[in-house]
Amino acid sequence: MPQNPNIGTAVRYHEAVSRRATGEELAPFFHENAVQRELPNLLFPDGVRRDLPAVLQAAERGRKALSRQRFEVHHAVADGDQVALEVTWTGTLASPLGDLPAGHVLRAHIAVFLEFRDGGIYSQRNYDCYERPDRPRPQD
């Protein structure tokens, strides 16, 4: 049975973000009317909602804030134009963040829900669960 093409796009999108893609490399993954939501988490306690220009601006800010990052997609399921992913993210700070020094590695376990329209991401909802920065990483 062929894999849902939206899963392939979702994985390639996360690979591009891992490479710290911005602007012209990142925009083609999205529908022109895309909306991205991060539900409340450690970095955004009130959550955040972004349109496509804000998504691209956030990618630029992330490129400056992190010296590297990686998204590891563990599971993906699709139903038509809906894709759900289980992802682990690690990011290395390029500069201090609060009490955390440059070089500190942050880690989050993420559930990502994507809706596609016309081949692009129209809606993205992230549920980011960050590990406490002062604790060693639990064993998987």
Side-chain angles (χ1 to χ4, degrees):
M1 178 184 301
Q3 178 178 329
N4 183 306
N6 293 327
I7 289 177
T9 301
V11 171
R12 286 190 305 278
Y13 161 61
H14 281 83
E15 290 169 347
V17 176
S18 289
R19 291 190 308 273
R20 301 175 342 134
T22 58
E24 291 180 10
E25 184 181 359
L26 194 58
F29 287 100
F30 290 92
H31 185 278
E32 63 185 5
N33 297 319
V35 174
Q36 180 189 66
R37 289 184 57 216
E38 279 188 58
L39 282 292
N41 61 59
L42 181 68
L43 298 182
F44 299 100
D46 296 321
V48 66
R49 183 183 189 279
R50 299 179 183 102
D51 61 8
L52 181 54
V55 167
L56 299 177
Q57 290 170 355
E60 289 286 347
R61 284 192 306 274
R63 189 177 186 124
K64 294 174 185 171
L66 299 170
S67 60
R68 79 187 101 183
Q69 68 177 341
R70 180 169 183 252
F71 288 86
E72 183 179 353
V73 177
H74 300 287
H75 301 284
V77 295
D79 182 14
D81 289 335
Q82 306 282 327
V83 175
L85 305 171
E86 179 185 5
V87 179
T88 301
W89 171 82
T90 53
T92 304
L93 295 176
S95 56
L97 177 65
D99 293 337
L100 302 175
H104 185 85
V105 177
L106 297 171
R107 185 174 169 94
H109 307 276
I110 304 171
V112 182
F113 296 90
L114 303 168
E115 177 185 341
F116 286 81
R117 286 199 189 157
D118 303 321
I121 298 167
Y122 179 76
S123 172
Q124 177 177 348
R125 286 186 327 278
N126 277 38
Y127 297 82
D128 300 350
C129 301
Y130 287 88
E131 291 183 3
R132 289 174 56 136
D134 58 348
R135 283 193 174 174
R137 184 168 76 85
Q139 297 301 313
D140 294 329

